[in-house]
Amino acid sequence: MTESRTDNIAEFSPARRELDLAVVLPTFNERENIPEVIGRLFATLSGLEWEAIFVDDDSPDGTAELIDSYAREDRRIRCIRRVGRRGLSSACIEGMLATPASVVAVMDADLQHDESILPKMLAKLRGEALDVVVATRNADGGSMSDFAPARVILSRLGQRVSSVMIRCGLSDPMSGFFLVRRSLFLEVVNELHGGGFKFLLDILATSRQPVRVGEVGYRFRNRVKGTSKLDISVAMEYLFLVLSKLTGGIIPTRFVIFALVGAIGLVVNLGFLSLLLFRFHMGFSAAQAWATLAAMTCNFFLNNQITYRDRRLHGVYLILGLATFCLACSFGAWANVSFSGNLLRSGVPWYLAGLAGTLLSAVWNYSVSNLFTWQMPQRRRVSEATDSVKAIQASYEPPTPPAGGLGA
Ligand code: GDD
Ligand code: MN
């Protein structure tokens, strides 16, 4: 079956040769860098069979249109355009899925990565039968360029954390510039986290087999045109990736974040309580009620910003969400107190009773708000879509065939 299909293809395109390398370049608002990066790829990859796949998230500056204009001139250039989506790692995944090449490079499109080392990286991968070759800023000949000191510290901290997640020794596991065998990528693709910027780390931490890695040093250039997209939410995504890989997917990452936010709420609760008690001399019950409300409100907004950043509530949903969240958490608090009280009375030590009550309310709060509070706009969208499908179905009248049949 497959053989005859291959034969057919060979008949129609005998000149097609296998690709040596596909370069995947994620882009968001990189219009100004596109001509230069394409020019450099042509120059450096001239001796190879290659293609470049740009994956653009519908950049408002017209990056995709510009890439398309090159793609019309040369088939080695392609642009995948995603609408209503954002994310560097997920863009890379889609780019890698879209090429048949057996070796794929991932490279930024902002000229910070030195494309001239691509042939050297490919030669190393082939020559040493490696699965991954990382272009690293820390190896011999590599450098961090003129990074701000704060970013160097953050970068080093991230590296420490990442070394716990991967088993192979790498001096720059946070690099966004690397070559990977597509077979390894396909082995792990179903289990990739896919969020944030740290795509290489995601691949390495997901692989169950030991990965054969090599490194090539280079100088990370400064950005000349356009701006970096690395912001606080990208840093949060890194935290999500680490948690998801460390918990091995057993505990949902969202629950872990939800619980961490809950712990912050506890601090807020105690802070408010002491303020109202000692500064404003309020009675304990009233002070505790206000402090709980403050903590719940704070948790709601933190969850809306971080835990449910992909389903963030706005407008009227924000108010409805706050109300349902407070209601759910109040019930959770009541369940916590009565459950742990019962355990205590039946002889369970106080700390275990307290822990069990807290766990119960955390799971309750998470489940209810996950299913209800941050689900409201989705439910509405689904019901609207179903309604409009029903309306179309109701108004549908099968066309009457022309008299005398179609051939008349
Ligand atoms: N499609 C898509 N969607 N592309 C994106 C997105 C996105 O949401 N965000 C960023 N990009 C593209 C940029 O257009 C650029 O080509 C590349 O991804 C890197 O983005 P930068 O915003 O320039 O990242 P950086 O320079 O701060 O970070 C780089 O260095 C890090 C190491 O310090 C990246 O290579 C990181 O992956 C790397 O870890
Ligand atoms: Mn950059």
Side-chain angles (χ1 to χ4, degrees), residues 37-319:
V37 83
I38 289 182
R40 289 186 188 203
L41 285 176
F42 273 96
T44 196
L45 301 175
S46 59
L48 300 167
E49 287 289 325
W50 63 277
E51 67 173 355
I53 302 174
F54 290 85
V55 189
D56 184 67
D57 285 348
D58 207 17
S59 303
D61 74 347
T63 304
E65 286 83 351
L66 183 60
I67 300 167
D68 279 345
S69 71
Y70 285 94
R72 276 191 288 275
E73 303 288 319
D74 195 302
R75 287 193 200 173
R76 282 172 287 187
I77 304 296
R78 286 201 276 147
C79 181
I80 296 177
R81 186 166 172 178
R82 309 194 301 172
V83 291
R85 308 269 303 279
R86 274 301 301 274
L88 196 160
S89 286
S90 66
C92 293
I93 292 177
E94 275 154 64
M96 290 175 101
L97 286 171
T99 174
S102 52
V103 181
V104 188
V106 172
M107 193 178 105
D108 291 353
D110 58 1
L111 304 170
Q112 289 197 271
H113 292 162
D114 181 358
E115 70 298 321
S116 70
I117 64 166
L118 280 169
K120 190 173 166 189
M121 290 165 78
L122 182 63
K124 191 172 175 82
L125 184 126
R126 284 174 171 169
E128 298 175 27
L130 302 170
D131 301 309
V132 172
V133 172
V134 183
T136 149
R137 298 162 291 181
N138 303 337
D140 286 348
S143 104
M144 292 279 268
S145 196
D146 302 329
F147 262 15
R151 181 145 177 201
V152 175
I153 294 171
L154 262 182
S155 182
R156 298 239 190 275
L157 186 74
Q159 276 178 25
R160 282 273 166 81
V161 176
S162 68
S163 61
V164 185
M165 295 160 61
I166 53 171
R167 286 163 291 276
C168 43
L170 262 186
S171 52
D172 193 6
M174 317 287 273
S175 174
F177 185 18
F178 59 96
L179 242 62
V180 57
R181 274 189 204 277
R182 191 158 173 272
S183 53
L184 169 69
F185 164 73
L186 290 177
E187 258 171 46
V188 297
V189 67
N190 285 309
E191 289 167 65
L192 289 176
H193 174 71
F197 270 36
K198 305 303 169 193
F199 184 42
L200 171 64
L201 200 61
D202 199 355
I203 296 179
L204 296 177
T206 305
S207 174
R208 291 172 206 277
Q209 320 291 339
V211 181
R212 289 162 297 180
V213 292
E215 298 184 285
V216 172
Y218 79 105
R219 186 181 157 80
F220 189 75
R221 302 189 194 113
N222 284 325
R223 200 187 245 277
V224 180
K225 290 174 178 163
T227 48
S228 169
K229 282 92 205 173
L230 198 132
D231 57 15
I232 181 72
S233 69
V234 172
M236 288 308 303
E237 290 287 353
Y238 179 60
L239 184 71
F240 272 56
L241 170 68
V242 172
L243 286 174
S244 131
K245 293 299 163 195
L246 290 184
T247 56
I250 299 167
I251 307 170
T253 317
R254 219 191 271 277
F255 176 73
V256 179
I257 305 279
F258 190 88
L260 288 177
V261 167
I264 297 175
L266 200 67
V267 177
V268 172
N269 194 322
L270 290 178
F272 260 86
L273 184 63
S274 60
L275 192 77
L276 294 176
L277 281 178
F278 305 116
R279 192 77 199 266
F280 294 95
H281 308 289
M282 210 180 248
F284 183 82
S285 301
Q288 173 67 336
W290 283 113
T292 310
L293 191 68
M296 286 193 295
T297 310
C298 164
N299 279 10
F300 171 77
F301 284 104
L302 280 178
N303 280 321
N304 199 43
Q305 272 321 102
I306 303 166
T307 324
Y308 291 98
R309 71 216 176 289
D310 53 335
R311 304 189 207 160
R312 209 167 275 166
L313 302 173
H314 301 278
V316 67
Y317 286 117
L318 195 68
I319 299 162

